[in-house]
Each structure stands twice: as C-alpha cells, then as structure tokens.
Amino acid sequence: MVENKTPIIIGCDHAAYPLKEKIKEFLSDYGIDVEDAGTFSEESVNYTDFGIKVASSVSKGYFEKGILLCGTGLGMSMVANRFSHVRAALCNDVFSVAMSRKHNDSNILVLGGRVIGEALAIELVKTWLETPFEGGRHQKRLDNFDRIEGV
Ligand code: RB5
C-alpha cells in the first residue's frame, strides 16, 4: 500500500473506455480519489481532447499524477509529453513501469487499452503507485528537461 494517496486525474478515448472504468474501480478500492476527465462511453472521440485535459491539469499542478489511456497509448503519450513538467510513460510491462517511477519520476502513466488486458493494467497501476522516485543523479537529469522545453 502506498502512503501518499494523492488524488489522480484519469482520461481516455473510446478505445480504452472499458479499461478506464476497471482502473477507476481499482483506484477507488485502493482508497484513491479519482477525477474522471472522460470520455464517458465507447462513442468515437478524439483522444487529443482528453489527453489535453489530463496533461494540462498535471502540468499546472492541479493534480500531482494522472493516468491516460487510448487504443495503443501512443497518441496519449505524444500529446501529454508536449506539456511542461509532464513526464508521461507509456508502459506495457512491470519493469518499465517501476523504472519510470524510480528513474524518470513519471507523473502520468499511459496505457494501451487495445494492447494489454485488465489484470496486467491493474498490476501496472499498482506498481506505478507503489514505486518511489529515487532522486539523486536522476533528479539532476530531470532538471535538464527545463532546458529543452519550448525548443
Ligand atoms: C482510436 O482509433 C485510436 O487511434 C486511439 O485510441 C489511439 O490508439 C491513438 O494513438
């Protein structure tokens, strides 16, 4: 169990709507408040609209962490990583998700609803929540991100 149960903002497109609902259930059972930025059905939408909502909220500091889902996770990660202070990690395996926290201090987890199943997705979210950032030399590397934003 993680001690810091900061609220999380979550968003998806139609392709990942069912998985978003499962992840919301898991987060609620885990004791984490969730702000749902949509979408709210499997009707076709533009993933960009929901990626922008979640990533801008994290970028502005309204939420410390967010979760984004689309069919592959690719579009959402491309959108999210255009925002300052966002470090969005598209992960399909437990090792990558843990490293995205330890070394990259990822603040948005991106999942592909057409790539992974529910059980793995929940395992990835749990690992992401429970793995701390290691800081140290990794913080120095993250500090360099400020030099490339807006280039
Ligand atoms: C929607 O068909 C699909 O393009 C979207 O969910 C996502 O995979 C984009 O990267």
Side-chain angles (χ1 to χ4, degrees), residues 12-16 44-48 69-78 112-115:
C12 71
D13 73 354
H14 55 285
S44 183
V45 291
N46 296 325
Y47 62 83
T48 42
L69 309 99
C70 62
T72 58
L74 290 166
M76 287 296 198
S77 61
M78 289 176 190
R114 291 174 175 162
V115 180

Coordinates of all heavy atoms in Angstrom, one line a residue, residues 12-16 44-48 69-78 112-115, ligand 1:
C12 N -9.4 9.1 -21.0 CA -9.3 8.0 -22.1 C -10.1 8.5 -23.3 O -10.8 9.4 -23.3 CB -9.8 6.7 -21.6 SG -11.6 6.7 -21.4
D13 N -9.9 7.7 -24.4 CA -10.8 7.8 -25.5 C -11.7 6.6 -25.6 O -11.6 5.7 -24.7 CB -10.0 8.1 -26.8 CG -9.3 6.8 -27.3 OD1 -9.3 5.8 -26.6 OD2 -8.7 6.9 -28.5
H14 N -12.5 6.5 -26.6 CA -13.5 5.4 -26.7 C -12.8 4.0 -26.7 O -13.4 3.1 -26.2 CB -14.3 5.6 -28.0 CG -13.4 5.7 -29.3 ND1 -12.7 6.8 -29.6 CD2 -13.1 4.8 -30.2 CE1 -12.0 6.6 -30.7 NE2 -12.2 5.4 -31.1
A15 N -11.6 3.9 -27.3 CA -10.9 2.6 -27.4 C -10.5 2.0 -26.1 O -10.4 0.8 -26.0 CB -9.7 2.8 -28.3
A16 N -10.4 2.9 -25.1 CA -9.9 2.4 -23.7 C -11.0 2.7 -22.7 O -10.7 2.5 -21.5 CB -8.6 3.0 -23.4
S44 N -17.1 7.2 -30.5 CA -15.8 7.7 -31.1 C -15.6 9.2 -30.7 O -16.4 10.0 -30.9 CB -15.8 7.5 -32.6 OG -14.5 7.9 -33.1
V45 N -14.4 9.4 -30.2 CA -14.0 10.8 -29.8 C -12.5 11.0 -30.3 O -11.9 10.1 -30.7 CB -14.1 11.0 -28.3 CG1 -15.5 11.0 -27.8 CG2 -13.2 10.0 -27.5
N46 N -12.0 12.2 -30.1 CA -10.6 12.5 -30.4 C -9.8 12.4 -29.1 O -10.0 13.1 -28.1 CB -10.4 13.9 -31.0 CG -11.1 14.0 -32.3 OD1 -11.2 13.1 -33.1 ND2 -11.7 15.2 -32.6
Y47 N -8.8 11.5 -29.1 CA -8.0 11.2 -27.9 C -7.3 12.5 -27.4 O -7.1 12.7 -26.3 CB -7.0 10.1 -28.1 CG -6.0 10.3 -29.2 CD1 -4.8 11.1 -28.9 CD2 -6.1 9.8 -30.4 CE1 -3.9 11.3 -29.9 CE2 -5.2 10.0 -31.4 CZ -4.1 10.8 -31.1 OH -3.1 11.0 -32.1
T48 N -7.0 13.4 -28.4 CA -6.3 14.6 -28.1 C -7.1 15.5 -27.0 O -6.5 16.0 -26.1 CB -6.1 15.5 -29.3 OG1 -7.3 15.4 -30.1 CG2 -5.0 14.9 -30.2
L69 N -5.4 6.8 -21.1 CA -5.5 5.5 -21.9 C -6.1 5.8 -23.3 O -7.0 6.6 -23.4 CB -6.4 4.6 -21.2 CG -6.2 4.3 -19.7 CD1 -7.1 5.1 -18.8 CD2 -6.4 2.8 -19.4
C70 N -5.5 5.2 -24.3 CA -6.2 5.2 -25.6 C -5.9 3.8 -26.2 O -5.5 2.9 -25.4 CB -5.7 6.3 -26.5 SG -3.9 6.2 -26.9
G71 N -6.2 3.6 -27.5 CA -6.1 2.2 -28.0 C -4.7 1.6 -27.8 O -4.5 0.5 -27.3
T72 N -3.7 2.4 -28.3 CA -2.3 1.9 -28.1 C -1.5 2.6 -27.0 O -0.5 2.1 -26.6 CB -1.5 2.2 -29.4 OG1 -1.6 3.7 -29.6 CG2 -2.1 1.5 -30.6
G73 N -2.0 3.7 -26.6 CA -1.3 4.6 -25.6 C -0.4 5.6 -26.3 O 0.1 6.5 -25.7
L74 N -0.2 5.4 -27.6 CA 0.8 6.2 -28.3 C 0.3 7.6 -28.5 O 1.1 8.6 -28.2 CB 1.1 5.6 -29.7 CG 1.9 4.3 -29.7 CD1 1.8 3.6 -31.1 CD2 3.3 4.5 -29.3
G75 N -0.9 7.8 -29.0 CA -1.4 9.2 -29.2 C -1.4 9.9 -27.9 O -1.0 11.1 -27.8
M76 N -1.9 9.3 -26.8 CA -2.0 10.0 -25.5 C -0.6 10.4 -25.0 O -0.4 11.5 -24.4 CB -2.7 9.1 -24.5 CG -4.2 9.0 -24.7 SD -5.0 10.6 -24.5 CE -6.7 10.0 -24.2
S77 N 0.4 9.5 -25.2 CA 1.7 9.8 -24.7 C 2.3 11.0 -25.5 O 3.0 11.8 -24.9 CB 2.6 8.6 -24.6 OG 2.8 8.1 -25.9
M78 N 2.1 11.0 -26.8 CA 2.6 12.1 -27.6 C 2.0 13.4 -27.2 O 2.7 14.4 -27.1 CB 2.2 11.8 -29.1 CG 3.1 10.7 -29.7 SD 2.5 10.3 -31.4 CE 3.4 8.8 -31.7
G112 N -2.3 1.3 -23.0 CA -3.0 1.0 -24.3 C -4.1 0.0 -24.1 O -3.8 -1.2 -23.8
G113 N -5.3 0.4 -24.2 CA -6.5 -0.4 -23.9 C -6.6 -1.6 -24.9 O -7.3 -2.5 -24.6
R114 N -6.0 -1.4 -26.1 CA -6.1 -2.5 -27.1 C -4.8 -3.3 -27.1 O -4.7 -4.2 -27.9 CB -6.3 -1.9 -28.5 CG -7.7 -1.3 -28.6 CD -7.8 -0.6 -30.0 NE -9.2 -0.1 -30.2 CZ -9.5 0.8 -31.1 NH1 -8.6 1.4 -31.9 NH2 -10.8 1.2 -31.2
V115 N -3.9 -3.0 -26.1 CA -2.6 -3.7 -26.1 C -2.6 -4.7 -24.9 O -2.1 -5.8 -25.0 CB -1.5 -2.7 -26.0 CG1 -0.1 -3.4 -26.0 CG2 -1.5 -1.7 -27.2
Ligands
RB5_1 C1 -8.5 5.3 -31.9 O1 -9.0 4.5 -33.0 C2 -7.0 5.2 -31.8 O2 -6.4 5.8 -32.8 C3 -6.6 5.7 -30.5 O3 -7.2 5.1 -29.4 C4 -5.1 5.6 -30.1 O4 -4.6 4.3 -30.3 C5 -4.2 6.6 -30.8 O5 -3.0 6.7 -30.6

